[in-house]
Amino acid sequence: MRTQVGIVGAGPAGLMLSHLLHRHGIDSVVVESRSREYVEHRLRAGVLEQGSVDLLRETGLGARLDREGMRHEGIELRFDGESHRVPMTELTGRAITVYGQQEVVKDMIAARLAAGGTILFEAPAERLSGLDSAPVIHFSRQGRREELHCDFVVGCDGYHGVSRPTVPDGVLTTYERTYPFAWLGVLAAAPPAVEELIYAHHERGFALYSMRSPQISRLYLQVPADEDIADWPDERIWAELRTRLETVPNWTLNEGPVLEKSITPLRSLVVEPMQWQRLYLAGDAVHIVPPTGAKGMNLALADVKLLGAAFAAWYADGSTHLLDDYSRTALRRVWRAQQFSWWMTSMLHRLNADDPYEAKLQSSTLRYVTTSRAYATSLAENYVGLPEV
Ligand code: RFL
Ligand code: PHB
């Protein structure tokens, strides 16, 4: 098999890149280890920045997003028994849209297939070769080994993929931070009790109230990193959510059947540079943020927006400057999101149970960010996404 750009991974990064390349008349093939059913139902991110919404709309992927996505103009910060709204749109002129990652993925897959695009599901890439001149993605399908020959390979295969580990030792540098806690995430058949997201700081730990639709709530609890989901029966989850969220007068949680629950560890990670020879890396394959800033999917889309334009320039007239600049340009946004996600995480989580000084600093930071217009604007512009970084 032969194509122009071979893409490993059908997450938001790989699918969006294939869609963008198609719009530039460039051929691509996506190989994905999982089934279509699996990737379309994998429960992940929920918040799209303004720039991600604009990109989806401009490239013809906005119809269902505009019907079903929920535009939010603020978020709530809850701490010390008080509730404060950060009016993001008033402060920045921009907004976020709550629309599940799996819905974005469904829309992208439908668009690619309708346009005659090739996505090979249940086709795991096993290794890459020839990256210095004539790249090949070696993958397996229905028990057979196959080869995809291409001009370039883009690794959009997440942190556990095969692309990044192909790069020889000593070429890449990893910057990393782990946190001693994880998020227990719950999807519940309960109408959201609020219209905007609530980020709650509590002495027992962080809690987040989010949603997926007018009928479905999405909730998260900070738990220790090594926590076992088996220790969290539904009643315990609701009791803990009530404790951490029902801290202001006249506010109660809406409860309902738990549809899904899982625990995700938090980490911050950047691998540099995001390119080696004819291999380009995008999304979670090269950077991971803790979910507190809601940046992961947005960064994946921002990376491939750059790559789409860079490949378009190369195929148009052989110019290499955008491809050469890809890593440097993308890393500016990546590091802004790293700092913001780390900052939100540090401000909102219980970090060290034995350190009352730290808890006092967090309260002060939260009070400052909810009373100073300058500090609130800083949070808001990062949260809705900076157009230029
Ligand atoms: P993905 O989505 O992980 O896709 C990678 C794809 O590659 C496939 N793959 C392979 N395919 C072929 N051969 C191989 N050898 C392969 N190895 C792997 C995988 O099956 C998969 O389909 O990466 P991508 O495209 O870079 O997208 C990144 C986002 O998925 C991720 O950053 C976000 O989900 C992070 N995230 C959030 N991001 C936001 O922007 N806003 C949020 O509100 C938000 N909340 C979250 C999140 C992630 C979470 N979890 C579960 C990690 C909340 C949670 C709980
Ligand atoms: C979500 O709805 O899944 C979500 C929202 C905000 C975050 C993280 C996750 O910061």
Side-chain angles (χ1 to χ4, degrees):
M1 253 180 121
R2 178 158 179 95
T3 190
Q4 289 175 299
V5 179
I7 300 172
V8 187
L15 291 167
M16 188 68 196
L17 179 62
S18 181
H19 177 67
L20 293 170
L21 292 174
H22 169 70
R23 289 172 56 84
H24 287 296
I26 301 164
D27 214 40
S28 68
V29 169
V30 182
V31 300
E32 163 60 50
S33 54
R34 303 287 192 158
S35 68
R36 178 176 179 183
E37 165 78 12
Y38 185 92
V39 301
E40 287 189 343
H41 293 93
R42 187 165 43 194
L43 189 59
R44 289 260 185 105
V47 173
L48 289 167
E49 294 176 351
Q50 180 81 59
S52 300
V53 170
D54 294 345
L55 178 67
L56 293 166
R57 279 195 189 131
E58 282 159 17
T59 60
L61 294 172
R64 198 160 68 94
L65 168 69
D66 283 335
R67 280 198 311 277
E68 297 176 18
M70 294 173 279
R71 181 183 151 94
H72 286 196
E73 301 197 339
I75 56 168
E76 194 177 316
L77 295 177
R78 206 167 266 196
F79 60 98
D80 294 347
E82 294 174 26
S83 189
H84 296 267
R85 181 168 186 266
V86 180
M88 294 179 309
T89 304
E90 187 191 316
L91 294 168
T92 67
R94 284 171 282 134
I96 54 136
T97 299
V98 177
Y99 188 65
Q101 179 169 324
Q102 70 273 37
E103 306 307 322
V104 179
V105 162
K106 280 180 205 159
D107 295 345
M108 289 174 176
I109 291 174
R112 285 309 296 127
L113 297 181
T118 308
I119 308 169
L120 304 178
F121 290 102
E122 298 178 76
E126 287 169 354
R127 66 188 177 88
L128 311 176
S129 68
L131 291 170
D132 57 341
S133 55
V136 183
I137 300 174
H138 302 261
F139 65 98
S140 64
R141 195 162 46 140
Q142 290 163 349
R144 283 201 320 273
R145 293 240 147 81
E146 297 190 40
E147 293 181 356
L148 175 62
H149 294 253
C150 36
D151 300 330
F152 299 96
V153 175
V154 184
C156 301
D157 44 354
Y159 184 69
H160 300 288
V162 295
S163 302
R164 193 197 57 257
T166 300
V167 180
D169 288 349
V171 174
L172 302 177
T173 305
T174 301
Y175 301 88
E176 183 167 27
R177 177 140 305 181
T178 55
Y179 303 88
F181 42 81
W183 278 19
L184 190 170
V186 178
L187 191 71
V194 281
E195 302 207 327
E196 294 177 340
L197 272 58
I198 303 173
Y199 288 81
H201 176 265
H202 190 276
E203 60 187 14
R204 292 176 62 84
F206 170 72
L208 170 61
Y209 202 139
S210 181
M211 61 207 68
R212 284 294 178 273
S213 75
Q215 290 79 38
I216 305 283
S217 298
R218 177 79 170 136
L219 303 122
Y220 297 95
L221 284 170
Q222 175 187 354
V223 296
D226 52 3
E227 201 76 343
D228 184 351
I229 192 75
D231 293 333
W232 285 88
D234 297 356
E235 314 78 67
R236 181 175 176 205
I237 293 174
W238 288 115
E240 195 62 35
L241 284 165
R242 281 196 299 271
T243 304
R244 298 190 197 179
L245 285 162
E246 291 182 350
T247 54
V248 294
N250 306 319
W251 194 90
T252 49
L253 201 61
N254 286 344
E255 298 181 22
V258 170
L259 305 174
E260 216 175 302
K261 56 184 168 186
S262 64
I263 293 182
T264 312
L266 264 61
R267 72 194 300 195
S268 295
L269 175 130
V270 182
V271 178
E272 298 188 13
M274 292 167 61
Q275 179 241 336
W276 180 67
Q277 297 185 338
R278 285 177 168 247
L279 170 66
Y280 292 80
L281 298 164
D284 276 18
V286 266
H287 44 69
I288 295 180
V289 280
T292 331
K295 289 285 164 249
M297 167 167 54
N298 296 294
L299 281 181
L301 295 176
D303 285 351
V304 298
K305 183 179 174 186
L306 293 174
L307 277 177
F311 285 126
W314 193 87
Y315 281 106
D317 59 13
S319 66
T320 62
H321 69 282
L322 290 179
L323 280 176
D324 294 343
D325 284 351
Y326 165 66
S327 177
R328 198 175 50 81
T329 311
L331 282 166
R332 286 207 296 263
R333 177 175 295 278
V334 167
W335 276 108
R336 178 89 307 280
Q338 287 287 329
Q339 189 277 336
F340 176 66
S341 305
W342 165 84
W343 176 76
M344 284 282 278
T345 302
S346 313
M347 174 172 73
L348 287 162
H349 290 73
R350 178 180 175 148
L351 299 175
N352 183 347
D354 306 323
D355 189 353
Y357 180 83
E358 209 162 57
K360 290 282 185 191
L361 284 188
Q362 287 178 316
S363 278
S364 173
T365 307
L366 281 159
R367 192 154 303 284
Y368 185 32
V369 85
T370 50
T371 49
S372 151
R373 194 173 173 88
Y375 209 9
T377 303
S378 168
L379 187 159
E381 67 181 6
N382 279 279
Y383 194 83
V384 299
L386 292 151
E388 298 296 334
V389 183

